[in-house]
Amino acid sequence: MANSAMDYSDDEDNYYDSDEIMDNTQDDDSSISEMEDEDDFKVQPTKDKKKSYEIEYDCLEPDAIRSTIQTESARTMEMLSVDASTASLLLRHMQWNRERLIDKYVENPAQVLQAAGIPSQSQPAEDASSPTTRTAPTLSSSRQTTTVIRRGARRSDSSKAVLPPVGCLVCCDDQPNSMLALLCNHNYCSDCWAEYLRGKIRDEGECNIRCMAEDCSALVPDSFVKETCDTEVFDRFNELVLRHYVSHAKNLKYCPAPGCQYTVSCTSAPPSSLTTVVPTVICKKNHTFCFRCPIEGDHRPLVCAVAKLWLRKCRDDSETANWIKSNTKECPKCQSTIEKNGGCNHMTCRKCKHEYCWVCMGPWTEHGTAWYNCNRFDEKSSTDARDSQSSSRASLERYLHYYNRWANHEQSAKLSVELYAKTEKKMEEMQVTSQLTWIEVQFARKAVDEVERCRTTLKWTYAMAYYLERGNFKELFEDNQRDLEKAVEDLSELLETPIDPEQIVTLRQKMTDKTVYVQKRNEIMLEDTANGYLEGRWAWNVPIEGFEAPEA
C-alpha cells in the first residue's frame, strides 16, 4: 500500500526561493533546451502533466454556442423544409435532439407541429376576417409551415348575432396603431404584445412563450419576438435560447456565477465516472464549480453523491443538533428523543409508554413513591439505561465534531473578502516602508489565494471523514488532513503578522516558502484522495449510490 503523503518532506524550509513563486517558473527552460540536443533525453515540463484529481475540459465563448445553435437550426431547416423560427421552436420542443425530431416529424408532421405549439395555417380565424398577412420566407415543400404576422381590421360577421370585437381586448384601445396575431389568429395591439413579451423574457426568463389568449397553446416564434421587441429584449431572448440549449446538452454546463456567460464543455467526466472523480472545472473568469452537480464552488476531494448527502444532513440536523444535545434525552426503551416539559422526574414515553426516571434513566418501578429524589445511581438497570443513553448521544457528538469544523472552515473562507482588503493595505504599506515594487509584494496576495483554496479543501475533508469507515486508510487520510490544516493555520498567522519595516525581507521569504509548502500539502491531499477513488480504497459507513454497501 503506497501513500502519496510519504513522497514529500514536511520540511517547508527546503522548497523554493521567493523569486520562484513570483513568476511560477524556474530555470528549467534553459536545461530543457540543452537536453533536447541529446538523443537520450526527452524532457516534458511538469506543469503540463494532468494530475489525478484534474479533468480535461474546454471553456467556450457565447459566440461558439450560438454558432452551434445556428448550425443545428440550418440542418433542421434543410431536412424538414421549414423556416428558421419553426426550426427553432421544433428543436426546443425536442430538447435540441435533432435526430429524434426528424424521426418523429417523418412519422407524423402535423402531430409534432401541434405538440410544439405551431398551429397549421388552415386554422380558422377567430378575431379577423380579412387580415393582411406577411409571411416569413420558407422553403417550399408539400407541407409548408409559415410564420404569419397579421395586421387585421375589425371583423364584421352579419351571419352571427355576436358583437364584433372593438380594438385590442387587453388594453381596450379602440383605435390602436397596429394589430398583431400569430398563426392562431388572436389579435392584440402591438403595444400589448411588446409589453407581454418584455415581461415574459425580462422578468420570467422564458424563451418558450405562449400566445396571450387564454387556453391557447400557440408559441411565439423568434421572428415575431425580433419584430415586436426592442434590441435589448431580443438580446435577452437569444441569451435564454442559448441557456436552454446548454441546459439540455449533456456535455455542456453554463457557469453558475452571476453575470458570467461562459460555458464549459467536458466529455471526460460522464455520469458513470462520478464514483472515481470530482469533475471540478474553472471558467475563463476563474469561477470554480462542479460540472456534474448543482453544488456551488469546489467540493473536492468529496465525490458528488457523498457531498449532496452531507449537505442534506446539515440542512436537516445542524440547526437543531446543539439544542437536542442540551435539552433532550432518549427513551431507554425505544430511543425516542424526549423533552422534559415539567418539574416531575417521573417520565412516560408517549410512543412506547415506558415509565422511567429522568435523573438516572432507570425504570420507575424501582423508585416507589420517591418521585422528588433519586439516589439509585448504582442500580444495574439505571446503569444500563445510562449506557444506552451515552451510546445514543455519541452519534450526535460525532456529527457535531465534524460539522463544527466543516462550518468553521466555511466561515473562514467567507471572510476572505475582508482578508483580501487587509492584505491590500499591507501590500501598500510594504511599498511605502521598503523599496519593494508592487509586483514584488504580490507574494501576500498569493498567500491569501492559497489559504482560501485550502480552506475549501479542508471543509470538505471533514464531510468526507464523517462518512469514511474506520480503518488504516481513514487514519492516513486524517494524517494528511492534519498536516494540511496545520500548514494553513501557520500561513494564516503569518498573514496576520504586523509589518516591521526592518523585517519585511524576512517576512517575504517566510510567507513565500510557507505558501509553496501549503500548496504542496493541498496537492498531496487531493492527489492521494483521487488515487484512493481510482484504487477503491475508500469504504463508507452508509450506503452510497455507486459504491459497495457497508458491511453490517
Side-chain angles (χ1 to χ4, degrees), residues 40-194:
D40 296 336
F41 294 92
K42 290 184 179 180
V43 179
Q44 297 292 335
T46 55
K47 64 180 181 180
D48 293 334
K49 183 179 179 182
K50 184 172 71 70
K51 298 179 176 63
S52 60
Y53 58 86
E54 296 176 338
I55 61 173
E56 295 180 356
Y57 61 92
D58 293 319
C59 191
L60 305 177
E61 301 276 352
D63 290 342
I65 304 298
R66 294 191 188 98
S67 177
T68 303
I69 293 175
Q70 292 173 359
T71 301
E72 289 292 314
S73 297
R75 291 176 179 175
T76 303
M77 292 168 58
E78 181 180 359
M79 299 193 70
L80 303 184
S81 298
V82 296
D83 59 58
S85 294
T86 302
S88 180
L89 287 175
L90 289 172
L91 286 170
R92 297 206 295 269
H93 170 65
M94 286 294 179
Q95 300 180 350
W96 302 94
N97 190 331
R98 184 164 49 85
E99 290 75 11
R100 182 165 172 261
L101 168 62
I102 294 172
D103 292 341
K104 294 286 186 181
Y105 193 88
V106 170
E107 292 177 4
N108 194 332
Q111 183 179 4
V112 174
L113 290 172
Q114 183 180 4
I118 307 172
S120 62
Q121 280 186 273
S122 59
Q123 181 171 334
E126 297 179 6
D127 296 321
S129 57
S130 302
T132 57
T133 65
R134 235 174 339 113
T135 305
T138 60
L139 299 175
S140 59
S141 70
S142 58
R143 294 180 176 85
Q144 198 176 65
T145 305
T146 59
T147 301
V148 181
I149 301 177
R150 300 179 182 269
R151 303 189 180 274
R154 302 171 192 170
R155 185 183 65 168
S156 177
D157 189 354
S158 58
S159 63
K160 297 182 179 179
V162 179
L163 292 176
V166 179
C168 178
L169 297 178
V170 175
C171 64
C172 298
D173 186 355
D174 57 352
Q175 293 183 343
N177 293 330
S178 61
M179 298 287 288
L180 303 179
L182 307 178
L183 281 172
C184 58
N185 299 324
H186 292 125
N187 270 292
Y188 303 98
C189 72
S190 57
D191 292 339
C192 287
W193 271 115

Side-chain angles (χ1 to χ4, degrees), residues 4 8 15 51-54 298 300-301 449-461 480-481 483-485 487-488 491 514-530:
S4 60
Y8 298 90
Y15 275 97
K51 298 179 176 63
S52 60
Y53 58 86
E54 296 176 338
D298 182 4
R300 289 177 299 187
D449 290 339
E450 200 60 41
V451 166
E452 181 184 8
R453 187 180 302 112
C454 292
R455 286 202 182 279
T456 301
T457 300
L458 284 168
K459 177 180 75 170
W460 288 106
T461 59
N480 286 336
Q481 182 189 53
D483 294 340
L484 174 60
E485 191 164 32
V488 169
L491 181 57
K514 182 63 71 172
T515 301
V516 178
Y517 175 69
V518 168
Q519 181 181 357
K520 279 295 180 185
R521 293 307 320 176
N522 190 47
E523 289 181 359
I524 291 171
M525 185 83 236
L526 296 176
E527 190 87 23
D528 182 67
T529 309

